[in-house]
Amino acid sequence: MLNGLPDRKKLEQERLARVAAAAAAAAAASSASSALVSAHRPVVMTATTTTKPSATNTTTTTRAAAAAAVEGSFKRPRGAPSSPNNNNNNDDDDDDGDARRRRPRTEVESAPLAPSSSSQSASTAAPKRPTAAPTSSSSTSTTSTSFSTASTAYAYASPASTSALSPLYLGGHLALTSPPSSHSPLPSVTLDALLQRAHLQRCVLATFQLDHAWLVDRVGDDVPMYLVLPRPGGRGGGGGGGGGDGGGGGDGGGMEAEVVVVGRRLRVVYPKMKSPGVGCMHVKLLLLWFPSFLRVVVTSANLVPYDWDGTLENVAYVEDFPRIVPRRRGAQDDYDETDDDGDDDKDGGGGNPPLDATAREFRDDLGWVLDEMGCPGDVARAVVRDFDFSRTQASLVCSKPGAHTADSRHRFGQLRLAAIARRTFGAAAWSQRDRVELTCMTSSLGALKREWVDGFVANAVGGGGGPSSGRTKTKAANTPGASDVQVVFPSKATVAASRGGVDSAGTITWNRRMWEASTCKDMLRDCHLLHRPRALSHSKIIICTKNGDDGWFYCGSHNFTQSAWGTVPAVKKDRITISNWELGVVLPFPLFGLIPFKTPLQKMVGEPHFVQWGGGQ
C-alpha cells in the first residue's frame, strides 16, 4: 500500500517554505517576545477550579505521604522491559485486572502552584544548565532530510532554529524517540531536548507509566507541574482489552476526576473513569510552557527511560505555538470562539490571529481535553487564550471512557476519526472503484474480529457509524473492509532475535486467548524497523490512503483495539462505547508522514509475540 504513491516533492517544498517563513517571522519577533516576557509575569497555574465543581474533587495531603504514594505506585513501571516476569501490568489497553479502590480523602481548597525560578522575567532568569540541542543537526536554518522506503520518498523539516527562547517546531514536526544516529535519516528527538530544562516554566504531563525519580531528574523539582496519571492501587492495563476485547483492567474506583495536592509545585490529576476495573488512562501528552511559546507533544512514549533511551522506539508529534498576548488577569472562565472583547477570533478579533477551521478546532479540543480529564479550568484557559494556533494542520482524536450518545458520540474514538476522514476525502467517502488501504502499527492487540475491523475501516474513510461491534452481520459488497488492512506487530521470532530479547518486550502485549479468538489473522504483518533492525517498537501509527494517493497519518496513544477506538452497535448506531482514555493526532498524508518499518511488509510467519498475564499464556 505504501508503494507507488505520487511524487509529493512539490507539496513538501511548499511546506518547507512555509516553515521557513514562519521561522523568519519568529526570529523577527524574538526581541518583541523577550520584551513581552520581561514586562508581563507568566501565568501561574492554580489547582482551584470553579468550572466543574461536581466533576473534580481537589484534595490535599502531606508532601511526604503523597510523594511516597506517587513513587510507590510508579517507581517500578508496569511491564518494564527490564522485568521479564512482571507481565501482570503491561502497557496498553485493559486486561483481566482487579478493580482499583480509591482511598478516601478530605476535600479542601488547594493553594496556587508556586512559580518556578525560571518563571521570572527573561531579563533576570538565570539558566540552570546548558540546553541540549533539539536534534542532531547543528544548523540554525530550515533544512530537510529525505529517506525512501521502497519507491516512495518523503522529506522532513528539521527545527528552524536552535535558540532556546524561540519556537523550534513551528507548523509541526514528527520524530522518533530513539537517540539521534548517523545511520538513520529518520528524524529523532530526545526528552531533554523537548523539555529544555533551563527555560521550562511549568508543564502538564500525562502518562500511563511513570518513573518518578527519573522524571524529576529530567525536569527538576522546582518546576510547577500537573501529572495526569492512572489511579494507583491496581493494575492499569495490558494488551488484551476489555471494552469489547474481553476482560477488564486498569483504573478502578468508579470514579470522578480528582486532583491531589503534593506540596507547592505538584498536582496529581486522576481522570474520571466509567467504572471500577474497566479501561485505563493511557494518554501520553506533554504541555510545556516557555517564556515565548507553548510546546505540545502527543506521543506513544511513556515517561519511563526505556521509551526514550532507544530500548523501545516510539513516535512523537511536536508543535510549538507562539505566545500572542500577555496573561490577562480576570479573564473569563469559559473558552470558546469569542474573545473577552466579543470579537470572533476566526476573523482575527481581540488581537488574536485568524484561525482556519482546523486550527480553531485543534485549539478548542486541546483545552476541552484538559478540562475533561480533570485539570483545573485555568490550565485550559492558559492554553486556549494565550497562544497562536494558526499554523497547525493537526487534528486531535480523543477517546474517553463511557457510552457516548447523541451529538457527543462524534467527538470520540473512531467516530471522531470518521469526521476527520470526511474532511480529508470529501463528502463522497468511497465508490466501488476506489481502493482503500490501511496500515496500522501497534504495540498491543485484543481480539481482531473481522466485523469490528470492517466497521473501523468504514469510519477511517469517512463512513461514520459503520458496523464496528461483534454483533454486526455482513458488510456491504464492494466496500472497504478487513481485507484492505495490514496490522504491523512483531512475531515471536522477531522479539526473540531483538537486541534485548523477550526481556525488552514487556510492554508489547497480546494474550494468546485473544489471538485464538481473532477471526482475521491474515492481516498480520511482521514488524521490522527500517533503520534499527534489532530494535522493538512501541509506536502506534495508522496510515490511510485512497487509490494510493492522499490520505491521513495518525500517531498517538491508541492501539488498534476496541478498548482504545470504541465499538458502535451493529443495528442502532446511536452511540459509541469506549474503555480507555487515549489521545492522538491526525495529519494530512503524505505532507506529513513517518514510516519507521520496512516495506513492502511481509506476512507474519509463525505465532505473534505473546505476554502471559491474567492466567493466559
Side-chain angles (χ1 to χ4, degrees), residues 232-505:
R235 298 192 304 181
D245 294 298
D251 298 332
M255 312 176 12
E256 296 298 328
E258 184 180 11
V259 177
V260 178
V261 179
V262 185
R264 299 179 63 222
R265 294 191 177 95
L266 176 61
R267 306 289 183 266
V268 178
V269 179
Y270 300 124
K272 180 179 180 179
M273 298 301 296
K274 69 176 184 177
S275 60
V278 177
C280 63
M281 202 306 293
H282 196 240
V283 171
K284 287 94 168 168
L285 172 69
L286 285 68
L287 298 183
L288 309 172
W289 274 260
F290 297 98
S292 62
F293 63 93
L294 171 74
R295 175 165 296 160
V296 177
V297 183
V298 179
T299 180
S300 64
N302 290 292
L303 291 175
V304 290
Y306 51 80
D307 273 358
W308 293 91
D309 64 7
T311 302
L312 294 176
E313 187 173 86
N314 282 271
V315 63
Y317 176 75
V318 189
E319 187 164 1
D320 290 347
F321 301 95
R323 186 181 292 275
I324 51 175
V325 292
R327 169 69 172 170
R328 290 171 292 190
R329 298 187 182 277
Q332 297 176 7
D333 286 345
D334 61 319
Y335 51 92
D336 52 24
E337 60 243 25
T338 304
D339 284 311
D340 292 342
D341 57 6
D343 292 328
D344 194 337
D345 62 7
K346 71 179 180 181
D347 300 319
N352 295 334
L355 302 180
D356 63 18
T358 299
R360 180 190 178 105
E361 187 177 70
F362 182 94
R363 180 204 64 180
D364 291 346
D365 283 351
L366 184 57
W368 174 82
V369 166
L370 293 171
D371 187 58
E372 287 292 306
M373 287 196 302
C375 292
D378 63 323
V379 178
R381 289 195 303 274
V383 170
V384 171
R385 295 287 184 182
D386 296 345
F387 299 96
D388 175 10
F389 290 85
S390 61
R391 296 180 181 89
T392 191
Q393 298 184 61
S395 299
L396 285 176
V397 178
C398 176
S399 289
K400 175 185 175 182
H404 309 288
T405 59
D407 293 339
S408 68
R409 71 186 188 276
H410 298 291
R411 303 194 72 164
F412 303 107
Q414 59 176 298
L415 293 188
R416 168 62 176 153
L417 192 62
I420 298 171
R422 283 192 291 274
R423 191 163 59 206
T424 301
F425 295 123
W430 69 77
S431 70
Q432 294 185 4
R433 298 184 300 275
D434 289 330
R435 178 171 56 88
V436 173
E437 295 173 287
L438 199 77
T439 298
C440 306
M441 186 180 199
T442 184
S443 64
S444 180
L445 285 168
L448 283 173
K449 299 290 188 179
R450 188 169 298 275
E451 296 84 0
W452 181 82
V453 177
D454 286 342
F456 183 90
V457 176
N459 285 315
V461 294
S468 59
S469 78
R471 298 185 300 277
T472 286
K473 296 182 180 179
T474 311
K475 78 179 183 74
N478 300 317
T479 59
S483 59
D484 304 304
V485 177
Q486 299 180 99
V487 176
V488 184
F489 187 83
S491 66
K492 181 182 295 185
T494 296
V495 171
S498 67
R499 187 174 296 109
V502 175
D503 290 356
S504 66

